[in-house]
Amino acid sequence: MNSMLLEQANTIADGALHKARELKFAPMTVAVLDAGGQLKVLKREDDASLLRPEIALGKAWGVLGMGFGGRELARRSELMPIFFTALNAMSGGRMVPLAGGVLIRNREGQVIGSVGISGDTSDNDEICAVFGVETAGLSADTGRTD
């Protein structure tokens, strides 16, 4: 399977939101994109603040566009701020280089999409993203190197 099914995208979003409620995190917004960068699912919890959908989309879009998880994206943005300023300008401001953006890989290791979550700290957003991806039986690539 090289593409993400709507059922998988819903499972990822629902799993992530379930984990957020279990851990009593702030209200979350989850965006799931397919491998072509098209939105499959966007879920915004009640009381999530105004810009959360855009931030979640920016996290998902950035990791998919660059091909590595949000942790690595954040690390590189700190090392090369001028380059990332240019990338953000070229992408129309669509990149949010932070944890909470996760590549979604199938069992063969192919990227089939990405998920971005916003609502709590970036670390907590990432916990929920990973849980959602794994709930769907897929692999989460956070860009973590340790």
Side-chain angles (χ1 to χ4, degrees):
M1 170 190 53
N2 294 336
S3 60
M4 184 183 328
L5 303 173
L6 179 59
E7 180 181 352
Q8 290 172 306
N10 271 314
T11 297
I12 291 165
D14 291 342
L17 293 175
H18 171 79
K19 184 56 122 178
R21 294 295 50 83
E22 177 185 297
L23 298 174
K24 298 181 176 18
F25 292 161
M28 297 281 189
T29 298
V30 180
V32 182
L33 306 180
D34 66 18
Q38 297 302 307
L39 182 63
K40 292 292 275 192
V41 170
L42 178 73
K43 292 191 176 189
R44 181 182 168 272
E45 286 188 304
D46 296 340
D47 298 322
S49 61
L50 180 64
L51 290 176
R52 296 304 174 183
E54 289 80 1
I55 296 167
L57 283 164
K59 287 181 178 185
W61 199 80
V63 299
L64 192 60
M66 293 303 292
F68 40 80
R71 295 244 169 224
E72 180 64 12
L73 200 62
R75 187 186 73 76
R76 291 187 189 196
S77 72
E78 288 178 14
L79 294 174
M80 301 178 286
I82 294 171
F83 177 69
F84 274 80
T85 297
L87 278 179
N88 215 24
M90 288 186 299
S91 68
R94 292 175 66 182
M95 290 186 66
V96 178
L98 295 170
V102 174
L103 290 174
I104 303 166
R105 296 185 183 273
N106 63 16
R107 291 188 178 135
E108 292 76 39
Q110 298 166 312
V111 174
I112 62 167
S114 65
V115 58
I117 300 186
S118 180
D120 208 278
T121 67
S122 291
D123 289 339
N124 290 346
D125 295 346
E126 180 181 272
I127 289 167
C128 297
V130 169
F131 185 85
V133 171
E134 291 175 350
T135 298
L138 299 165
S139 294
D141 180 350
T142 64
R144 186 177 293 261
T145 58
D146 56 356

